[in-house]
Amino acid sequence: MDRKRLVILGSTGSVGRQTLDIVRAFPDAFDVVGLCAGKNLDLFKDQVDEFNPRYINTVASLGIHNGASQIPAEEIASLPEVDIVMGATVGCAGMGPALAAIDAGKTLALANKEVIVMAGEVLVRRASESGATILPVDSEPSAIWQCLEGEETPPAKFIITASGGAFRDRTWESLHDVTPAEALKHPTWTMGAKITVDSASLMNKAFEVIETRWLFDIPYEQIDVLIHRQSIIHSMVEFVDGTVKAHLGPTDMRHPIQYALFYPARYENPTLPRFDPVKTGSLTFEAMDPSLYPCFELTLDYAKRGGTWSAVLAGADEAAVSLFLDGRIRFTEIPDVVASTLAAHSPIMEHSIEDAIQAAAWATEHTLAQHSAGATI
Ligand code: MG
């Protein structure tokens, strides 16, 4: 196989680390050109020593480390020699380098869903102008993508599955006193803190609906969500003749990561778990009542309005989750905090990418400012 020249944005996060697991499993397949990460400097230095990138970026000033030069992440993501960029950062800060990769016409494997939530419509348009390809990494859109492969007829409906998150057997009202530690216990997936809290509030599922709407250019009305506790079916596609294709697999992010990295090829990887139908036993499905999940309902209500509303949702949720993790607001206050920021926003309906970036940044600052003073709960 030809070596793919790879950049990872967010290499020390959950998806970044698992991307490097795939690189490790195929030592001849990748040339790691650049690594970018945030604050986890010890792990980052270990990764730089192991994978020998030529370019690095991190919040600390490392200068030259192990021969790698520190340059801006936007520059790394758009280097002429780069084939594929893994967008594995968390939150709205991932927009800059993801956009640079898109404008440079790269293949962008995108796990950082907030970027699509912020400005999906504009990003997809920019990608088609530059010749960039955006590949899903999130397991649900990846499943839909794989179900659509080889199909020529437009799909009738997408069915996104939801595990229900950490609190799936509790009513919203009963979650008044839940702690960050409780919200961080996902029943089926191991992921980063922000997405795990978003999964518990079902905000993550609403974001996946938005992500799916833009990545596959399908109207919101053709996207359903249902509760599937086992997370074995990662999503389904229904076609006009009534046939439904489902994508099944273990709950391991390295599967969709590997698929995006090697697309359209598939290679055997003995380090990945295999799906055992007998061990799984049965698969269950339950209707999802949006009114039971205030974050889900609120988010889709505003996302469907278009304009900069989605960017505000992404920015406000990011702040609300950090306030919850810092013990400043209750879990059940997350939708109220997001709603109060939405109420203070004046949307721009025909918006540019800069408008979306500004709206998200404003939403984060506004949300944090409302709760900057005072005691923790
Ligand atoms: Mg997902």
Side-chain angles (χ1 to χ4, degrees):
M1 56 181 95
D2 287 339
R3 280 174 95 89
K4 293 201 182 211
R5 293 163 299 182
L6 172 70
V7 164
I8 304 176
L9 306 170
S11 64
T12 57
S14 177
V15 170
R17 293 194 309 269
Q18 295 181 78
T19 302
L20 288 171
D21 285 343
I22 301 297
V23 173
R24 250 182 229 113
F26 296 92
D28 300 324
F30 300 98
D31 174 9
V32 179
V33 176
L35 292 178
C36 305
K39 291 177 222 141
N40 193 344
L41 211 55
D42 289 339
L43 175 60
F44 187 67
K45 283 181 186 166
D46 290 346
Q47 291 178 341
V48 174
D49 291 340
E50 182 180 355
F51 294 96
N52 299 304
R54 292 185 284 292
Y55 301 98
I56 54 172
N57 183 269
T58 177
V59 289
S61 181
L62 276 184
I64 294 178
H65 180 83
N66 187 31
S69 313
Q70 177 143 338
I71 62 172
E74 284 78 2
E75 278 181 44
I76 299 177
S78 53
L79 286 165
E81 64 262 42
V82 171
D83 299 314
I84 182 163
V85 175
M86 171 60 73
T89 33
V90 178
C92 301
M95 176 61 93
L99 184 62
I102 288 172
D103 285 343
K106 302 298 181 192
T107 295
L108 173 65
L110 191 57
N112 185 183
K113 73 186 66 161
E114 289 86 354
V115 165
I116 289 281
V117 171
M118 276 170 75
E121 186 173 13
V122 186
L123 285 182
V124 167
R125 194 169 62 231
R126 292 269 275 251
S128 79
E129 284 164 9
S130 70
T133 307
I134 306 175
L135 303 178
V137 174
D138 197 2
S139 64
E140 294 81 359
S142 176
I144 288 169
W145 175 33
Q146 295 182 58
C147 288
L148 290 171
E149 279 292 295
E151 297 288 344
E152 290 173 6
T153 316
K157 193 164 77 175
F158 292 165
I159 305 164
I160 296 178
T161 53
S163 69
F167 304 131
R168 60 193 182 185
D169 291 315
R170 299 176 61 171
T171 62
W172 185 261
E173 292 68 31
S174 77
L175 301 177
H176 187 68
D177 293 321
V178 298
T179 62
E182 291 173 278
L184 290 172
K185 278 187 204 140
H186 196 281
T188 51
W189 291 94
T190 307
M191 304 179 290
K194 201 255 175 187
I195 189 172
T196 305
V197 174
D198 280 342
S199 296
S201 69
L202 272 283
M203 183 64 89
N204 180 59
K205 208 47 61 179
F207 282 177
E208 285 171 359
V209 171
I210 300 170
E211 190 183 14
T212 300
R213 188 258 173 275
W214 295 118
L215 286 178
F216 301 100
D217 189 23
I218 191 167
Y220 282 113
E221 296 66 40
Q222 283 169 260
I223 306 172
D224 285 352
V225 174
L226 58 75
I227 304 282
H228 166 51
R229 289 168 174 263
Q230 298 81 17
S231 299
I232 293 294
I233 292 183
H234 299 138
S235 279
M236 302 181 242
V237 176
E238 185 182 312
F239 295 90
V240 287
D241 60 355
T243 295
V244 177
K245 281 163 91 173
H247 174 281
L248 292 80
T251 50
D252 192 309
M253 281 305 294
R254 291 173 299 174
H255 286 278
I257 291 168
Q258 181 175 320
Y259 186 71
L261 291 178
F262 283 125
Y263 174 76
R266 292 187 189 271
Y267 295 103
E268 189 180 349
N269 182 348
T271 68
L272 297 189
R274 294 274 166 162
F275 169 49
D276 182 341
V278 175
K279 214 168 160 188
T280 302
S282 54
L283 301 178
T284 60
F285 306 98
E286 298 152 60
M288 199 197 77
D289 179 353
S291 68
L292 299 177
Y293 303 102
C295 284
F296 183 88
E297 198 168 43
L298 174 76
T299 297
L300 286 180
D301 175 6
Y302 276 88
K304 287 174 184 173
R305 301 178 192 197
T308 45
W309 287 117
S310 267
V312 171
L313 286 162
D317 176 61
E318 192 165 327
V321 169
S322 78
L323 288 167
F324 167 64
L325 290 173
D326 288 347
R328 294 201 163 268
I329 63 168
R330 294 181 186 279
F331 180 76
T332 46
E333 286 179 288
I334 292 174
D336 308 333
V337 165
V338 172
S340 101
T341 297
L342 286 163
H345 178 57
S346 307
I348 302 172
M349 298 315 288
E350 291 294 321
H351 67 290
S352 66
I353 202 92
E354 290 72 24
D355 294 331
I357 292 168
Q358 274 174 23
W362 168 83
T364 300
E365 280 165 31
H366 179 86
T367 308
L368 292 175
Q370 306 301 304
H371 300 271
S372 59
T376 55
I377 53 167

